[in-house]
Amino acid sequence: MRAILFSFLLFLSITSVAQKLSISIFNDTNLNTILVTPTKGNYSMVLGDSMITIKPLQILYISRQGDSVLVRDENRSYGSFKRVTLVGQSGEDVFRLKPIIPAKPARLYDDNITFYVEFNRIMAINVIDREKYIAAVVLAETGPDKEPELYKAQALLARTFTVSHADKHQSEGFNLCDQEHCQAYKGRPEAFQDVYDAVLDVKDLIVVDSASRPISAAFHANCGGQTANSEDVWIQALPYLRSVNDRFCTSAPNARWERTIPLTEWKKFLAQQGVDTAKLIRENLNFYPKERPKYYTVLGVNIPTTTVRKYFKLRSAWFSVSAGKNEVRISGRGYGHGVGMCQDGAMAMAQRGWTYDKIIQYYFKDVKIIELSKVNLEPVKPDSTEVKPFDVLQ
Ligand SMILES: [Zn+2]
Ligand SMILES: [Zn+2]
């Protein structure tokens, strides 16, 4: 018993480059009552100092009782504990988790799960093999039935993000949350195997800059034909996030969009930006950029196109403006911030036989694809304190 617990503790003592990650699932939900059911493999349950075997398809009721976790099944109560952990024993273990209070759709997850009470809710920490996690993230970001080379390119970006942000929730005792705040993770997807095979083909590879530091792994749905420089969207100019022309995405549905905005609203916005709207004539509003614009300039006032995008919730910051009598017509290109890899372009490249490394090197300038074991992660955050091993059982 002690030996089993000890080895369990050992494998949860992980650093950011370890094979296992701890992810807070349903991190946006105040979990109070949950059903958990093993659906594949063999599970044991660690309850305080003891460990019991869970039968396949056995339904466990997990609920909060003060600052402890109460565990029951249909027949009996196992008692309440500070921590409850389901540990997969076969290496191919999957469980279903269904939040009851509040009610949410059930999801499947790989590997292990630990429950404890914090912030007046049950925390559910999925301790999962990194590559299985990457496969789930890739599918959440790209959708099913895509080209394997696109999955591989996306896997490199997801892995690069994962290893360089593994301390994002360190103070809370886990690596990453399952929300957009980190990377969207919705558990084991239905089309898991296709994506997982592609992910394993590029196992342990990440993308680094010329100084061998993990890159800022930006991507977006569609660039409209030209990607953006990082400093045009965010503050920092990164040498590998340069604007490139992209002829691959321009016939995808996301390449073009239209919006009509009442002239009064448009003028109100311009006034807020410091334009003297009393002097405006219609022609001053017209705007036909030949390439991805950084500013929309009206009567000498430079307004960042990203500001226009944010204010009117436009699909992208690349647009032209045609002023009518009572409204302005916005014709836009692309979908998303435009920095880094264009998913529609990458998909079209993959369909034409481009391999994942060529795709990555097209969208990121002077980067290298290297094995994780050869990366020194320390320079990523020179000002951060020493990264301590995580241990979700502490
Ligand atoms: Zn997060
Ligand atoms: Zn593109």
Side-chain angles (χ1 to χ4, degrees), residues 220 222-225 246 249 342 345 363:
H220 55 277
N222 186 303
C223 74
D246 182 357
C249 64
C342 166
Y363 290 111

Side-chain angles (χ1 to χ4, degrees), residues 298-369:
V298 182
L299 295 181
V301 179
N302 287 329
I303 305 165
T305 52
T306 50
T307 304
V308 184
R309 181 191 180 205
K310 201 171 163 193
Y311 185 91
F312 289 103
K313 296 187 171 60
L314 303 178
R315 300 185 93 189
S316 75
W318 186 355
F319 53 83
S320 60
V321 180
S322 301
K325 202 170 169 203
N326 299 311
E327 57 197 22
V328 291
R329 214 177 98 198
I330 314 292
S331 302
R333 298 181 63 167
Y335 191 4
H337 53 59
V339 182
M341 188 179 84
C342 166
Q343 288 181 308
D344 282 346
M347 177 69 175
M349 287 174 181
Q351 283 166 339
R352 290 171 204 192
W354 285 52
T355 51
Y356 72 88
D357 50 328
K358 296 282 176 294
I359 295 171
I360 293 283
Q361 275 151 358
Y362 188 85
Y363 290 111
F364 301 92
K365 293 294 136 197
D366 302 321
V367 295
K368 291 177 282 185
I369 293 168

Side-chain angles (χ1 to χ4, degrees), residues 27 168-169 176-179 181-182:
N27 195 53
K168 207 162 173 181
H169 288 275
L176 299 164
C177 75
D178 65 347
Q179 305 293 306
H181 171 259
C182 289

